[in-house]
Structures are given as C-alpha cells and as structure tokens.
C-alpha cells in the first residue's frame, strides 16, 4: 500500500513541492516563478492537494508531477485551471478571424478537455479543427493553453498529426 504526499502549488499552477510533508525544506510561501501565493489544499473544501504517491520501498525516479485540475473531494476547479480558461477567453477576445459561435465552441471544448470523460477526445479534435480558423499567433498560443489544461488523452490528440 502507498499513500499520497501533499502538493504545494502556486495559484498559477507552478508546482513548488509535490512532497510537502516528506520534504518540507522545499516549501515556499510564494512562487519564485510568478510571485503568486502558494496553496496546499482546495480553496473550497480544504482537502489537501494530492502530491507524490509514495509506495513503501519504491523510489520513483524521473517522475513528472502535474497538478490536478479538479479537487477529488468536491469537484471544484483549481485556480490555475480557471486562470488558463480566462487566458484562453482573452486570446479569443482579441482575435478577429473567427465568429462568436466558434469562439464559444472553442471555450466549451477547452473546458471539456480538462476532464477525463468520453467526450475528451472529441473535444480535442474540435479544438484542432476550429482553432485553425484563428490567426496564426493566436492559434499557437491557444493550442499551448489547450495542451497545458488537457488530460493525457487530449494532449495526445492535440499534438498528434
Ligand atoms: Zn507561479
Ligand atoms: Zn475541494
């Protein structure tokens, strides 16, 4: 049997320490990349954010921790997902090459790919298709956000050719 450590993540989603309990020497009150405050629990229900998974006698090497998008206890979206969705919306707001209904579709799909559901892959494909109508700068930035917020399945479809 193993157990989860607690993760310390800044409000913008930078992982500060995924072993908050077992390696407290790496804890920081603020993020050294963006200056935002750091949190270790869900702002809504105060459940600790799951960090590294420890298995007795096993040392995980080279494992890359990504912070969760949603709280497993209350379903609340973490602040970094909200911020990413807001940035995506701002990007679309300044792009004049696509219409409002395509923009709404893109934002909706962006939300869907942050969750692992039967619709994840379809929405990743929608993003790939519709985002092509964006200006090329906006396209690159939008896909980058999508890859950041997307689940593993979504990342694969977004990056696949
Ligand atoms: Zn940060
Ligand atoms: Zn919660």
């Amino acid at each position: 049997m193993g157990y989860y450590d607690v993760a310390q993540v800044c409000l913008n989603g930078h992982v500060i320490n995924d072993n908050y309990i077992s390696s407290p020497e790496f804890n920081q009150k603020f993020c050294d990349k963006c200056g935002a405050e750091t949190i270790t629990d869900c702002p809504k229900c105060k459940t600790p954010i799951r960090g590294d998974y420890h298995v007795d006698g096993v040392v995980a090497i080279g494992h890359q921790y990504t912070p969760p998008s949603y709280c497993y206890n209350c379903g609340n979206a973490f602040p970094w997902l909200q911020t990413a969705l807001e940035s995506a919306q701002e990007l679309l707001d300044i792009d004049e090459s696509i219409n409002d209904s395509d923009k709404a579709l893109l934002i909706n799909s962006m939300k869907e790919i942050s969750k692992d559901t039967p619709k994840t892959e379809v929405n990743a494909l929608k993003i790939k298709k519709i985002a092509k109508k964006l200006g090329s700068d906006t396209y690159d930035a939008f896909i980058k956000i999508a890859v950041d917020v997307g689940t593993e399945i979504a990342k694969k479809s977004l990056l696949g050719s």
Side-chain angles (χ1 to χ4, degrees):
M1 272 296 282
Y3 68 95
Y4 284 99
D5 208 303
V6 172
Q8 186 178 48
V9 184
C10 93
L11 293 176
N12 287 317
H14 295 121
V15 178
I16 307 297
N17 187 1
D18 54 351
N19 289 296
Y20 181 74
I21 305 292
S22 60
S23 304
E25 67 274 25
F26 298 118
N27 295 345
Q28 296 173 192
K29 201 164 186 302
F30 293 94
C31 179
D32 56 346
K33 292 197 181 75
C34 72
E37 209 182 312
T38 59
I39 57 171
T40 55
D41 52 27
C42 167
K44 207 171 173 190
C45 73
K46 302 293 167 207
T47 298
I49 301 167
R50 277 177 174 165
D52 238 3
Y53 189 68
H54 293 280
V55 182
D56 287 339
V58 177
V59 181
I61 295 166
H63 132 102
Q64 176 75 36
Y65 173 85
T66 35
S69 299
Y70 297 92
C71 170
Y72 70 89
N73 189 55
C74 73
N76 181 50
F78 281 116
W80 42 92
L81 176 61
Q82 292 295 357
T83 309
L85 291 172
E86 281 164 26
S87 327
Q89 182 66 59
E90 280 173 34
L91 260 181
L92 294 181
D93 288 346
I94 57 166
D95 192 284
E96 283 159 2
S97 23
I98 68 169
N99 62 36
D100 286 349
S101 77
D102 277 344
K103 287 181 183 181
L105 267 172
L106 279 175
I107 284 295
N108 185 53
S109 294
M110 185 73 103
K111 284 181 194 149
E112 290 297 328
I113 63 164
S114 71
K115 314 170 194 168
D116 255 324
T117 74
K119 290 185 182 168
T120 309
E121 192 157 15
V122 176
N123 280 285
L125 293 173
K126 274 192 198 166
I127 289 182
K128 268 181 95 170
K129 199 166 158 101
I130 301 169
K132 288 208 175 93
K133 300 181 192 172
L134 292 165
S136 64
D137 293 351
T138 327
Y139 174 85
D140 290 346
F142 193 85
I143 294 294
K144 192 172 172 289
I145 299 174
V147 169
D148 273 351
V149 306
T151 64
E152 285 309 311
I153 293 172
K155 284 190 214 306
K156 249 182 227 160
S157 326
L158 287 165
L159 298 171
S161 47

